[in-house]
Amino acid sequence: MSVDTEAGPARTGNRIAAILVSLALAGNNAGSYVLSLAAARILAPGAFGELSSLLAVLVIGVVPAMALQTVVALRVARSPQHPGSLFALGLVTSGIVAAAALTVSPLLVLLLHLGSLAPALLVTASLGPLTLLGLFHGLLQGSHRFATLAGLIALEGVGKVGGSVVGLLVSGSTTGALAGTAIGSLAVVTASWQICGRPRPRWSDRHGRDVLHTAQAMLALVLLVNLDLVLARHTLPAAEAGEYALGAIVTKIAYWLPQAVGVLVLPRFAVVSDRRRALPVALGICASLDAVVVLVTVVFGSRLLPLIGGVRYAGSTMPLWPFALAGSMLALVQILLYARLADGDRRVTVLMWAAVAVEAVLIPAWRHGSAIQVVTVAACCAGGLAAAGALVEIRSRRAG
Protein backbone atom coordinates (compact mmCIF):
# COMPACT_ATOMS: atom_id res chain seq x y z
CA MET A 1 0.00 0.00 0.00
CA SER A 2 2.83 2.37 0.81
CA VAL A 3 4.27 1.90 -2.67
CA ASP A 4 1.03 2.89 -4.27
CA THR A 5 0.72 5.89 -1.97
CA GLU A 6 4.13 7.13 -3.00
CA ALA A 7 3.66 6.36 -6.68
CA GLY A 8 0.40 8.26 -6.87
CA PRO A 9 1.81 11.62 -5.74
CA ALA A 10 4.91 11.02 -7.88
CA ARG A 11 2.80 10.51 -10.98
CA THR A 12 0.69 13.53 -10.10
CA GLY A 13 3.83 15.60 -9.59
CA ASN A 14 5.18 14.50 -12.95
CA ARG A 15 1.94 15.48 -14.65
CA ILE A 16 1.96 18.91 -13.01
CA ALA A 17 5.62 19.41 -13.92
CA ALA A 18 4.92 18.41 -17.52
CA ILE A 19 2.03 20.87 -17.71
CA LEU A 20 4.07 23.71 -16.21
CA VAL A 21 7.07 23.13 -18.47
CA SER A 22 4.81 22.73 -21.51
CA LEU A 23 3.02 25.99 -20.75
CA ALA A 24 6.31 27.83 -20.25
CA LEU A 25 7.75 26.53 -23.52
CA ALA A 26 4.52 27.29 -25.37
CA GLY A 27 4.51 30.80 -23.94
CA ASN A 28 8.06 31.38 -25.18
CA ASN A 29 7.20 30.15 -28.66
CA ALA A 30 4.06 32.30 -28.72
CA GLY A 31 6.12 35.29 -27.64
CA SER A 32 8.55 34.75 -30.51
CA TYR A 33 5.61 34.61 -32.89
CA VAL A 34 4.24 37.89 -31.51
CA LEU A 35 7.67 39.48 -31.94
CA SER A 36 7.72 38.44 -35.60
CA LEU A 37 4.23 39.83 -36.17
CA ALA A 38 5.09 43.13 -34.49
CA ALA A 39 8.36 43.46 -36.40
CA ALA A 40 6.65 42.74 -39.72
CA ARG A 41 4.20 45.57 -39.09
CA ILE A 42 6.58 48.14 -37.58
CA LEU A 43 9.73 47.70 -39.67
CA ALA A 44 10.22 48.29 -43.37
CA PRO A 45 10.67 45.07 -45.39
CA GLY A 46 14.44 45.50 -45.55
CA ALA A 47 14.75 46.11 -41.82
CA PHE A 48 12.43 43.20 -41.06
CA GLY A 49 14.63 40.91 -43.14
CA GLU A 50 17.67 42.19 -41.26
CA LEU A 51 16.09 41.51 -37.86
CA SER A 52 14.84 38.07 -38.93
CA SER A 53 18.30 37.04 -40.15
CA LEU A 54 19.96 38.21 -36.92
CA LEU A 55 17.38 36.38 -34.80
CA ALA A 56 18.17 33.25 -36.84
CA VAL A 57 21.87 33.79 -36.02
CA LEU A 58 20.85 34.05 -32.36
CA VAL A 59 19.04 30.69 -32.59
CA ILE A 60 22.21 29.05 -33.91
CA GLY A 61 24.34 30.91 -31.39
CA VAL A 62 22.50 29.44 -28.40
CA VAL A 63 23.39 25.86 -29.41
CA PRO A 64 26.28 25.86 -26.88
CA ALA A 65 23.73 26.88 -24.23
CA MET A 66 21.65 23.82 -25.12
CA ALA A 67 24.76 21.65 -24.89
CA LEU A 68 25.75 23.20 -21.56
CA GLN A 69 22.27 22.59 -20.16
CA THR A 70 22.34 18.95 -21.24
CA VAL A 71 25.81 18.26 -19.81
CA VAL A 72 25.06 20.00 -16.50
CA ALA A 73 21.67 18.32 -16.11
CA LEU A 74 23.18 14.87 -16.65
CA ARG A 75 26.06 15.49 -14.24
CA VAL A 76 23.78 16.81 -11.50
CA ALA A 77 21.33 13.93 -11.98
CA ARG A 78 24.10 11.32 -11.74
CA SER A 79 25.63 12.60 -8.50
CA PRO A 80 25.65 15.75 -6.37
CA GLN A 81 27.91 18.38 -7.92
CA HIS A 82 29.44 21.43 -6.34
CA PRO A 83 27.67 24.30 -8.15
CA GLY A 84 30.88 26.31 -8.16
CA SER A 85 32.69 23.95 -10.57
CA LEU A 86 29.69 23.87 -12.89
CA PHE A 87 29.36 27.64 -12.68
CA ALA A 88 33.00 27.89 -13.75
CA LEU A 89 32.19 25.66 -16.72
CA GLY A 90 29.28 27.97 -17.59
CA LEU A 91 31.43 31.08 -17.36
CA VAL A 92 34.13 29.59 -19.60
CA THR A 93 31.60 28.41 -22.17
CA SER A 94 29.82 31.76 -22.13
CA GLY A 95 33.11 33.61 -22.55
CA ILE A 96 34.16 31.45 -25.49
CA VAL A 97 30.80 31.93 -27.24
CA ALA A 98 30.87 35.71 -26.69
CA ALA A 99 34.47 35.95 -27.95
CA ALA A 100 33.66 33.88 -31.03
CA ALA A 101 30.59 35.99 -31.76
CA LEU A 102 32.59 39.18 -31.37
CA THR A 103 35.20 37.86 -33.78
CA VAL A 104 32.69 37.06 -36.52
CA SER A 105 30.66 40.27 -36.04
CA PRO A 106 32.35 42.07 -38.96
CA LEU A 107 31.70 39.02 -41.14
CA LEU A 108 28.00 39.16 -40.25
CA VAL A 109 27.90 42.77 -41.42
CA LEU A 110 29.17 41.68 -44.83
CA LEU A 111 27.13 38.48 -45.18
CA LEU A 112 23.82 39.94 -44.01
CA HIS A 113 24.34 43.37 -45.59
CA LEU A 114 23.87 45.18 -42.28
CA GLY A 115 23.89 48.94 -42.21
CA SER A 116 26.30 49.09 -39.27
CA LEU A 117 28.24 46.95 -36.82
CA ALA A 118 25.90 47.75 -33.92
CA PRO A 119 23.25 45.02 -34.53
CA ALA A 120 25.94 42.33 -34.78
CA LEU A 121 27.56 43.55 -31.55
CA LEU A 122 24.19 43.43 -29.80
CA VAL A 123 23.78 39.81 -30.87
CA THR A 124 27.14 39.16 -29.20
CA ALA A 125 25.94 40.95 -26.06
CA SER A 126 22.90 38.65 -25.95
CA LEU A 127 24.75 35.39 -26.57
CA GLY A 128 26.97 35.68 -23.49
CA PRO A 129 24.11 35.78 -20.94
CA LEU A 130 21.96 33.33 -22.91
CA THR A 131 24.76 30.77 -22.92
CA LEU A 132 25.23 31.13 -19.17
CA LEU A 133 21.46 30.75 -18.77
CA GLY A 134 21.84 27.18 -20.08
CA LEU A 135 23.87 26.42 -16.96
CA PHE A 136 21.07 27.48 -14.63
CA HIS A 137 18.50 25.56 -16.66
CA GLY A 138 20.70 22.48 -16.34
CA LEU A 139 21.12 22.88 -12.58
CA LEU A 140 17.36 23.00 -12.07
CA GLN A 141 16.64 20.25 -14.60
CA GLY A 142 19.22 17.85 -13.19
CA SER A 143 17.94 18.33 -9.64
CA HIS A 144 14.32 17.74 -10.77
CA ARG A 145 13.23 21.25 -9.76
CA PHE A 146 10.85 21.39 -12.69
CA ALA A 147 8.40 23.92 -11.28
CA THR A 148 11.24 26.39 -10.73
CA LEU A 149 12.62 25.54 -14.17
CA ALA A 150 9.22 26.29 -15.73
CA GLY A 151 9.20 29.66 -13.98
CA LEU A 152 12.71 30.39 -15.25
CA ILE A 153 11.73 29.45 -18.81
CA ALA A 154 8.75 31.80 -18.57
CA LEU A 155 10.99 34.51 -17.13
CA GLU A 156 13.35 34.03 -20.06
CA GLY A 157 10.47 34.65 -22.45
CA VAL A 158 9.44 37.79 -20.59
CA GLY A 159 12.98 39.13 -20.43
CA LYS A 160 14.40 38.16 -23.82
CA VAL A 161 11.33 38.32 -26.05
CA GLY A 162 9.60 41.00 -24.00
CA GLY A 163 12.76 43.10 -24.04
CA SER A 164 12.91 42.74 -27.82
CA VAL A 165 9.30 43.85 -28.23
CA VAL A 166 9.76 46.85 -25.93
CA GLY A 167 12.95 47.86 -27.73
CA LEU A 168 11.18 47.53 -31.06
CA LEU A 169 8.19 49.60 -29.96
CA VAL A 170 10.35 52.34 -28.41
CA SER A 171 12.89 52.67 -31.21
CA GLY A 172 11.12 51.27 -34.26
CA SER A 173 14.43 49.80 -35.41
CA THR A 174 16.38 46.55 -35.58
CA THR A 175 19.07 47.98 -33.31
CA GLY A 176 16.52 48.93 -30.66
CA ALA A 177 14.91 45.48 -30.75
CA LEU A 178 18.28 43.74 -30.32
CA ALA A 179 19.25 46.15 -27.55
CA GLY A 180 16.08 45.07 -25.75
CA THR A 181 17.08 41.43 -26.30
CA ALA A 182 20.50 42.02 -24.76
CA ILE A 183 19.19 43.94 -21.76
CA GLY A 184 16.41 41.44 -21.11
CA SER A 185 18.80 38.48 -21.39
CA LEU A 186 21.21 40.04 -18.91
CA ALA A 187 18.35 40.70 -16.47
CA VAL A 188 17.14 37.09 -16.75
CA VAL A 189 20.58 35.55 -16.18
CA THR A 190 21.08 37.79 -13.14
CA ALA A 191 17.76 36.63 -11.70
CA SER A 192 18.68 33.00 -12.51
CA TRP A 193 21.93 33.34 -10.58
CA GLN A 194 19.92 34.54 -7.59
CA ILE A 195 17.41 31.69 -7.91
CA CYS A 196 20.16 29.06 -8.08
CA GLY A 197 21.80 30.24 -4.87
CA ARG A 198 24.36 32.76 -6.11
CA PRO A 199 27.08 30.19 -6.88
CA ARG A 200 30.73 31.25 -6.97
CA PRO A 201 33.08 29.75 -9.58
CA ARG A 202 35.53 26.97 -8.68
CA TRP A 203 38.07 26.41 -11.43
CA SER A 204 38.99 22.80 -10.73
CA ASP A 205 36.59 20.90 -13.00
CA ARG A 206 35.40 22.23 -16.37
CA HIS A 207 34.29 19.27 -18.55
CA GLY A 208 34.79 21.31 -21.69
CA ARG A 209 35.08 18.24 -23.94
CA ASP A 210 31.62 17.06 -22.91
CA VAL A 211 30.13 20.44 -23.82
CA LEU A 212 31.97 20.50 -27.16
CA HIS A 213 30.80 17.03 -28.11
CA THR A 214 27.22 17.72 -27.07
CA ALA A 215 27.24 21.06 -28.91
CA GLN A 216 28.22 19.31 -32.14
CA ALA A 217 25.27 16.94 -31.90
CA MET A 218 22.88 19.73 -30.88
CA LEU A 219 24.00 21.91 -33.78
CA ALA A 220 23.25 19.07 -36.19
CA LEU A 221 19.76 18.77 -34.68
CA VAL A 222 19.13 22.51 -35.03
CA LEU A 223 20.24 22.33 -38.68
CA LEU A 224 17.94 19.39 -39.37
CA VAL A 225 14.99 21.28 -37.92
CA ASN A 226 15.64 24.30 -40.15
CA LEU A 227 17.64 23.09 -43.17
CA ASP A 228 14.72 22.06 -45.38
CA LEU A 229 13.16 25.52 -45.07
CA VAL A 230 16.42 27.17 -46.14
CA LEU A 231 16.85 24.77 -49.06
CA ALA A 232 13.22 25.25 -50.11
CA ARG A 233 13.80 28.98 -50.18
CA HIS A 234 16.88 28.41 -52.34
CA THR A 235 15.43 25.90 -54.83
CA LEU A 236 11.67 26.55 -55.16
CA PRO A 237 9.87 29.40 -56.92
CA ALA A 238 9.05 32.30 -54.59
CA ALA A 239 5.33 31.53 -54.30
CA GLU A 240 5.88 27.84 -53.59
CA ALA A 241 8.64 28.66 -51.12
CA GLY A 242 6.13 30.85 -49.29
CA GLU A 243 3.72 27.93 -49.05
CA TYR A 244 6.55 25.74 -47.82
CA ALA A 245 7.28 28.25 -45.05
CA LEU A 246 3.70 27.77 -43.84
CA GLY A 247 4.12 24.00 -43.92
CA ALA A 248 7.31 24.41 -41.93
CA ILE A 249 5.22 25.96 -39.15
CA VAL A 250 3.41 22.63 -38.87
CA THR A 251 6.80 20.91 -38.72
CA LYS A 252 7.78 23.15 -35.83
CA ILE A 253 4.47 22.48 -34.05
CA ALA A 254 5.01 18.73 -34.25
CA TYR A 255 8.62 19.10 -33.14
CA TRP A 256 7.94 21.45 -30.22
CA LEU A 257 4.73 19.86 -28.92
CA PRO A 258 6.52 17.06 -26.94
CA GLN A 259 9.43 19.25 -25.79
CA ALA A 260 8.43 18.95 -22.14
CA VAL A 261 8.91 15.18 -22.38
CA GLY A 262 12.60 15.63 -23.16
CA VAL A 263 13.02 18.14 -20.34
CA LEU A 264 11.48 15.76 -17.80
CA VAL A 265 13.19 12.51 -18.84
CA LEU A 266 16.75 13.80 -19.43
CA PRO A 267 17.71 13.59 -15.72
CA ARG A 268 16.41 10.01 -15.63
CA PHE A 269 18.59 9.12 -18.60
CA ALA A 270 21.66 9.81 -16.43
CA VAL A 271 21.18 6.42 -14.70
CA VAL A 272 21.35 3.36 -16.97
CA SER A 273 18.54 1.41 -15.32
CA ASP A 274 16.24 4.44 -15.30
CA ARG A 275 17.09 5.25 -18.92
CA ARG A 276 16.16 1.78 -20.11
CA ARG A 277 12.78 2.06 -18.44
CA ALA A 278 12.06 5.69 -19.30
CA LEU A 279 13.14 5.77 -22.96
CA PRO A 280 10.34 3.58 -24.40
CA VAL A 281 7.77 5.52 -22.35
CA ALA A 282 9.14 8.86 -23.54
CA LEU A 283 9.15 7.74 -27.17
CA GLY A 284 5.59 6.44 -26.81
CA ILE A 285 4.34 9.72 -25.35
CA CYS A 286 6.04 11.73 -28.11
CA ALA A 287 4.59 9.47 -30.78
CA SER A 288 1.10 9.70 -29.25
CA LEU A 289 1.15 13.50 -29.06
CA ASP A 290 2.42 13.89 -32.60
CA ALA A 291 -0.01 11.29 -33.92
CA VAL A 292 -2.72 13.81 -33.08
CA VAL A 293 -0.94 16.47 -35.16
CA VAL A 294 -0.53 14.10 -38.10
CA LEU A 295 -4.17 13.00 -37.85
CA VAL A 296 -5.42 16.59 -37.85
CA THR A 297 -3.37 17.41 -40.94
CA VAL A 298 -4.64 14.28 -42.71
CA VAL A 299 -8.28 15.05 -41.91
CA PHE A 300 -8.24 18.78 -42.69
CA GLY A 301 -5.46 18.80 -45.27
CA SER A 302 -4.76 22.02 -47.15
CA ARG A 303 -7.81 23.67 -45.54
CA LEU A 304 -5.51 24.44 -42.62
CA LEU A 305 -3.29 26.69 -44.74
CA PRO A 306 -5.67 29.70 -44.74
CA LEU A 307 -5.98 29.36 -40.96
CA ILE A 308 -2.21 29.59 -40.62
CA GLY A 309 -1.29 32.09 -43.33
CA GLY A 310 -4.48 33.93 -44.19
CA VAL A 311 -6.90 34.05 -47.10
CA ARG A 312 -4.16 34.46 -49.71
CA TYR A 313 -3.47 30.72 -49.30
CA ALA A 314 -7.10 29.67 -49.66
CA GLY A 315 -6.47 28.18 -53.12
CA SER A 316 -3.46 26.09 -52.11
CA THR A 317 -3.70 22.31 -52.39
CA MET A 318 -0.39 21.47 -50.69
CA PRO A 319 -0.87 18.62 -48.18
CA LEU A 320 0.41 19.26 -44.68
CA TRP A 321 0.70 15.77 -43.26
CA PRO A 322 4.28 15.26 -44.61
CA PHE A 323 5.35 18.34 -42.66
CA ALA A 324 3.71 16.99 -39.50
CA LEU A 325 5.42 13.65 -40.09
CA ALA A 326 8.83 15.32 -40.49
CA GLY A 327 8.38 17.22 -37.22
CA SER A 328 7.23 14.06 -35.45
CA MET A 329 10.34 12.18 -36.56
CA LEU A 330 12.54 15.04 -35.36
CA ALA A 331 10.86 14.91 -31.95
CA LEU A 332 11.73 11.21 -31.69
CA VAL A 333 15.28 11.95 -32.84
CA GLN A 334 15.69 14.44 -30.02
CA ILE A 335 14.67 11.92 -27.36
CA LEU A 336 16.99 9.28 -28.82
CA LEU A 337 19.78 11.85 -29.01
CA TYR A 338 19.39 12.63 -25.30
CA ALA A 339 19.57 8.91 -24.49
CA ARG A 340 22.77 8.39 -26.50
CA LEU A 341 24.40 11.53 -25.08
CA ALA A 342 23.59 10.32 -21.57
CA ASP A 343 25.34 7.05 -22.42
CA GLY A 344 28.41 8.90 -23.71
CA ASP A 345 27.98 7.40 -27.19
CA ARG A 346 30.01 9.43 -29.71
CA ARG A 347 28.47 7.60 -32.69
CA VAL A 348 25.35 9.71 -32.37
CA THR A 349 27.22 12.81 -33.55
CA VAL A 350 28.32 10.99 -36.72
CA LEU A 351 24.75 9.86 -37.37
CA MET A 352 23.37 13.36 -36.89
CA TRP A 353 25.83 15.01 -39.27
CA ALA A 354 25.39 12.22 -41.83
CA ALA A 355 21.66 12.99 -41.93
CA VAL A 356 22.42 16.71 -42.38
CA ALA A 357 24.80 15.92 -45.24
CA VAL A 358 22.32 13.63 -47.01
CA GLU A 359 19.54 16.22 -46.83
CA ALA A 360 21.88 19.03 -47.92
CA VAL A 361 22.92 17.02 -50.99
CA LEU A 362 19.64 15.35 -52.03
CA ILE A 363 17.41 18.43 -52.08
CA PRO A 364 19.54 20.83 -54.18
CA ALA A 365 20.89 18.11 -56.48
CA TRP A 366 17.77 16.06 -57.12
CA ARG A 367 14.56 16.36 -55.10
CA HIS A 368 13.51 20.00 -55.49
CA GLY A 369 10.85 19.87 -58.18
CA SER A 370 8.08 20.70 -55.72
CA ALA A 371 7.41 21.44 -52.07
CA ILE A 372 6.32 17.83 -51.55
CA GLN A 373 9.62 16.52 -52.89
CA VAL A 374 11.57 18.75 -50.50
CA VAL A 375 9.55 17.85 -47.41
CA THR A 376 9.62 14.16 -48.35
CA VAL A 377 13.42 14.21 -48.27
CA ALA A 378 13.32 16.02 -44.91
CA ALA A 379 10.87 13.49 -43.45
CA CYS A 380 12.83 10.51 -44.79
CA CYS A 381 16.11 11.84 -43.41
CA ALA A 382 14.54 12.42 -39.99
CA GLY A 383 12.81 9.04 -40.07
CA GLY A 384 15.98 7.26 -41.14
CA LEU A 385 17.90 8.98 -38.36
CA ALA A 386 15.28 7.96 -35.79
CA ALA A 387 15.48 4.34 -37.00
CA ALA A 388 19.28 4.39 -36.85
CA GLY A 389 19.20 5.87 -33.35
CA ALA A 390 16.75 3.20 -32.21
CA LEU A 391 18.97 0.48 -33.69
CA VAL A 392 22.04 1.84 -31.87
CA GLU A 393 20.03 1.92 -28.64
CA ILE A 394 18.87 -1.70 -29.08
CA ARG A 395 22.40 -2.90 -29.79
CA SER A 396 23.69 -1.00 -26.79
CA ARG A 397 21.16 -2.70 -24.54
CA ARG A 398 22.05 -6.13 -25.88
CA ALA A 399 25.74 -5.46 -25.40
CA GLY A 400 25.07 -4.26 -21.86
Side-chain angles (χ1 to χ4, degrees):
M1 180 67 71
S2 61
V3 173
D4 292 337
T5 302
E6 294 174 358
R11 286 194 295 268
T12 302
N14 287 337
R15 293 192 191 101
I16 294 174
I19 292 172
L20 291 175
V21 173
S22 297
L23 289 175
L25 291 170
N28 275 9
N29 292 329
S32 298
Y33 182 64
V34 169
L35 173 60
S36 296
L37 289 179
R41 285 159 173 77
I42 293 174
L43 300 176
F48 176 62
E50 180 180 88
L51 178 61
S52 298
S53 63
L54 287 168
L55 290 177
V57 170
L58 200 58
V59 169
I60 297 172
V62 297
V63 167
M66 298 164 57
L68 181 64
Q69 176 181 346
T70 302
V71 169
V72 169
L74 289 172
R75 293 193 66 83
V76 171
R78 285 193 184 104
S79 61
Q81 300 283 317
H82 192 287
S85 63
L86 296 175
F87 187 45
L89 173 65
L91 289 174
V92 170
T93 306
S94 177
I96 291 173
V97 170
L102 182 62
T103 302
V104 302
S105 292
L107 184 60
L108 286 179
V109 176
L110 295 176
L111 291 177
L112 301 179
H113 308 291
L114 304 180
S116 69
L117 185 60
L121 292 177
L122 287 169
V123 169
T124 299
S126 300
L127 282 176
L130 289 176
T131 301
L132 189 57
L133 188 60
L135 164 77
F136 300 120
H137 282 181
L139 289 173
L140 297 175
Q141 186 180 8
S143 56
H144 298 266
R145 295 170 61 188
F146 294 118
T148 306
L149 176 61
L152 189 54
I153 292 172
L155 182 63
E156 178 186 358
V158 173
K160 184 181 70 174
V161 181
S164 303
V165 172
V166 171
L168 178 65
L169 293 175
V170 171
S171 69
S173 67
T174 296
T175 301
L178 292 172
T181 305
I183 294 171
S185 300
L186 182 60
V188 171
V189 80
T190 302
S192 302
W193 178 69
Q194 298 274 352
I195 291 170
C196 291
R198 302 181 182 182
R200 298 292 191 276
R202 288 178 55 181
W203 304 101
S204 59
D205 190 14
R206 299 182 180 181
H207 316 294
R209 290 184 179 179
D210 290 341
V211 176
L212 180 61
H213 164 61
T214 305
Q216 294 178 54
M218 291 292 188
L219 177 59
L221 179 61
V222 170
L223 288 176
L224 278 176
V225 173
N226 296 281
L227 183 59
D228 63 313
L229 180 58
V230 175
L231 294 176
R233 177 70 179 176
H234 177 67
T235 58
L236 297 176
E240 196 167 4
E243 289 186 355
Y244 195 97
L246 287 182
I249 294 176
V250 176
T251 301
K252 299 296 194 301
I253 291 172
Y255 173 66
W256 283 107
L257 182 61
Q259 285 295 295
V261 177
V263 173
L264 295 177
V265 299
L266 179 62
R268 296 191 61 185
F269 286 173
V271 180
V272 175
S273 57
D274 285 351
R275 181 170 68 248
R276 293 187 172 186
R277 289 194 300 268
L279 179 58
V281 176
L283 292 173
I285 294 173
C286 284
S288 299
L289 290 172
D290 279 332
V292 176
V293 181
V294 174
L295 180 61
V296 169
T297 56
V298 168
V299 172
F300 293 97
S302 57
R303 287 174 289 178
L304 292 172
L305 283 170
L307 295 178
I308 300 173
V311 294
R312 73 182 68 179
Y313 297 98
S316 175
T317 58
M318 183 180 70
L320 289 176
W321 67 265
F323 294 91
L325 183 61
S328 301
M329 293 297 104
L330 289 169
L332 297 179
V333 165
Q334 184 178 50
I335 297 296
L336 289 164
L337 173 61
Y338 284 155
R340 291 293 83 218
L341 289 174
D343 196 41
D345 191 342
R346 300 300 172 98
R347 292 172 296 177
V348 67
T349 303
V350 177
L351 288 174
M352 297 292 295
W353 282 103
V356 171
V358 169
E359 186 171 319
V361 170
L362 280 183
I363 293 176
W366 182 36
R367 303 296 291 177
H368 58 264
S370 66
I372 295 304
Q373 287 188 2
V374 174
V375 73
T376 297
V377 173
C380 289
C381 287
L385 183 58
L391 182 60
V392 170
E393 180 67 29
I394 291 171
R395 287 183 175 178
S396 176
R397 293 187 179 211
R398 289 176 177 174

